[in-house]
Amino acid sequence: MNEDIQFILDGTEEAMQNALTHLKKQFANIRAGKASPAMLGSVMVDYYGSLTPLAQVANVNTPDGRTISIQPWEKAMIHEIEKAIMNANLGFNPMNNGESVIINVPPLTEERRKDLVKQAKAEAEDAKVGVRNDRKNANNEIKKLEKDGLAEDLCRNAEVDVQDLTDAHIKKIDDILAVKEKEILTV
């Protein structure tokens, strides 16, 4: 029966770790002032009739902290790339010089920074909810084992272990949020 508890604990830890990984991906999409190719990660370009991620039709790089340069592999795609960036509603105004698309990333206003912090807090809260749901699922599994005849003290210990995992992951989420908040608010 101890293997069952260990299996539940391992599965729960993995699910909580996935919530952290998802949070980090979401935070990568929240811009913090300096230009990054990840800002355009959600842009889908109409490539001959099928929606394709921007990174698969062009080379995206950042020559400096305020500029994103997009070098399409086919010059005919420049207008499609510009249109896709406008449609992605990221607040960018792409310009082209005939060979590449250039985006000047404007510095963030104080109001926009506060909005981004709110967005980051909402993402962190979603991650916490995910971790708490994982805790609930694990505790339900443990209760099922208890009904099937597992010793009560083993079940209580397992529930304490699940709570410890939950607390540790919630603290990690708070730490990641604090770092991202500082990054956003740094001018």
Side-chain angles (χ1 to χ4, degrees):
M1 283 295 191
N2 282 351
E3 300 91 39
D4 293 338
I5 289 178
Q6 194 56 49
F7 180 74
I8 291 169
L9 290 175
D10 290 346
T12 303
E13 184 165 16
E14 188 176 328
M16 289 178 178
Q17 204 58 47
N18 287 344
L20 278 176
T21 305
H22 178 73
L23 178 68
K24 288 176 185 171
K25 281 183 187 164
Q26 293 300 90
F27 276 2
N29 291 339
I30 298 176
R31 72 186 187 111
K34 64 179 196 274
S36 143
M39 293 173 163
L40 301 176
S42 62
V43 175
M44 301 297 269
V45 178
D46 184 10
Y47 186 67
Y48 299 112
S50 65
L51 287 179
T52 311
L54 177 62
Q56 292 181 13
V57 296
N59 183 16
V60 182
N61 60 31
T62 50
D64 61 61
R66 292 265 173 246
T67 312
I68 300 175
S69 171
I70 302 149
Q71 188 85 35
W73 290 317
E74 297 175 38
K75 285 196 174 133
M77 294 305 299
I78 286 183
H79 295 294
E80 289 294 335
I81 290 172
E82 279 185 305
K83 196 163 77 173
I85 292 168
M86 296 296 261
N87 291 343
N89 202 14
L90 298 170
F92 294 140
N93 192 14
M95 302 170 293
N96 86 54
N97 61 8
E99 295 201 355
S100 63
V101 177
I102 298 165
I103 299 172
N104 286 321
V105 179
L108 296 172
T109 63
E110 189 62 32
E111 184 180 331
R112 182 72 179 129
R113 287 179 193 278
K114 287 180 180 167
D115 287 346
L116 290 175
V117 167
K118 278 185 195 167
Q119 187 181 342
K121 284 182 177 176
E123 292 292 348
E125 194 53 45
D126 288 348
K128 288 180 184 180
V129 168
V131 167
R132 291 183 191 121
N133 284 339
D134 296 333
R135 173 185 62 193
K136 186 179 111 193
N137 293 341
N139 285 339
N140 289 342
E141 294 282 326
I142 291 168
K143 283 188 175 78
K144 278 185 199 165
L145 286 178
E146 189 175 3
K147 281 183 185 171
D148 293 343
L150 188 64
E152 194 176 321
D153 59 335
L154 284 176
C155 291
R156 297 297 153 256
N157 290 344
E159 286 176 359
V160 168
D161 291 344
V162 169
Q163 185 58 47
D164 290 345
L165 277 177
T166 304
D167 293 343
H169 282 82
I170 296 274
K171 184 178 180 343
K172 285 180 188 172
I173 289 170
D174 287 336
D175 293 346
I176 293 169
L177 174 63
V179 167
K180 186 64 178 182
E181 210 173 316
K182 186 173 181 238
E183 186 182 319
I184 291 170
L185 293 174
T186 303
V187 180

